[in-house]
Amino acid sequence: MPVTAQGMLMARNQSRKESQSGRKSGPSEKSGSRIARLFDHLAAHATKSAGSSTAFCLAIFVVLMWAISGPAFGYSETWQLVINTGTTIITFLMVFLIQQSQNKDSEALHLKLDELLIAIEGADEGLVDAERLDEDQLLALAKACTARARRQGKGGKDRANEPHESRRNKRHAGLTRARHFSSRRFATAARTARQ
């Protein structure tokens, strides 16, 4: 990574941290960052575990045991309250853990995309931090990018001036070639299976 791009990313990350915390970072924040690291570790582990097949099987087992125990408790309100309270508490806690994990993944993805925008010559560096724009600004940016893409088109041609019928015919020809290729592969696979 070029030194200038790395410097830009480091400065931007530092300003993001400062704006999120509302103050400059310093040595007094060590305990806060320790708690944040602990929460980050817990959230990553919990979301990974919760998304596993083992966790799903465990949840199925708990629900089945609860359902089987229904006749023993006479399907009472207390019996129903157990599953309702348990699932509500778990859902409430998981919302925060999953959201933290999503925020971290999203931030990492945006940093990678920002680095690509910075590294690629000719890319619009104005798109760096586009995720920070409000909805109206994003819609305006999307319209501008769509218009630019239509103007440039494939190979630098201005596709906006190309007749609609011509574009439709090109798409149709591409689909026909793809279907023909797929049907040839299917026929070859069928012959091989018969032999």
Side-chain angles (χ1 to χ4, degrees):
M1 181 161 59
V3 174
T4 56
Q6 185 178 19
M8 282 178 63
L9 287 173
M10 289 175 60
R12 190 185 61 193
N13 289 339
Q14 184 63 32
S15 68
R16 281 183 185 170
K17 287 178 185 175
E18 289 170 4
S19 67
Q20 289 172 353
S21 66
R23 61 188 193 288
K24 300 270 184 193
S25 59
S28 63
E29 289 187 3
K30 284 187 178 180
S31 63
S33 64
R34 195 174 304 143
I35 292 171
R37 279 195 309 263
L38 179 65
F39 180 69
D40 183 47
H41 180 72
L42 173 69
H45 184 69
T47 52
K48 185 176 180 179
S49 298
S52 69
S53 57
T54 305
F56 180 74
C57 291
L58 180 63
I60 294 283
F61 176 75
V62 167
V63 170
L64 286 175
M65 294 308 295
W66 171 79
I68 290 170
S69 69
F73 291 100
Y75 300 104
S76 66
E77 287 184 22
T78 305
W79 173 76
Q80 293 176 19
L81 190 62
V82 167
I83 196 75
N84 288 339
T85 304
T87 55
T88 301
I89 290 170
I90 290 170
T91 303
F92 179 74
L93 295 176
M94 286 304 292
V95 164
F96 296 105
L97 294 175
I98 291 171
Q99 186 61 52
Q100 196 279 341
S101 182
Q102 292 257 328
N103 289 347
K104 182 180 170 185
D105 291 346
S106 177
E107 186 69 21
L109 179 65
H110 285 295
L111 287 172
K112 291 173 185 178
L113 290 173
D114 291 349
E115 173 60 23
L116 288 174
L117 284 172
I118 292 167
I120 296 174
E121 192 169 321
D124 185 2
E125 290 183 10
L127 294 174
V128 172
D129 278 345
E131 67 273 9
R132 306 271 187 247
L133 300 175
D134 65 24
E135 189 174 357
D136 292 336
Q137 292 171 324
L138 278 175
L139 290 174
L141 183 62
K143 285 180 184 177
C145 287
T146 302
R148 190 173 97 195
R150 284 188 179 144
R151 278 193 312 274
Q152 290 178 346
K154 201 171 192 178
K157 293 186 221 169
D158 190 352
R159 290 183 53 195
N161 296 328
E162 186 178 350
H164 175 72
E165 194 66 28
S166 172
R167 286 183 291 191
R168 190 173 63 82
N169 290 340
K170 286 179 183 176
R171 280 195 305 265
H172 179 69
L175 287 173
T176 304
R177 282 193 300 271
R179 286 184 189 128
H180 178 68
F181 179 72
S182 295
S183 62
R184 283 192 320 182
R185 281 184 40 197
F186 179 74
T188 304
R191 278 195 304 266
T192 306
R194 279 186 243 143
Q195 292 173 354

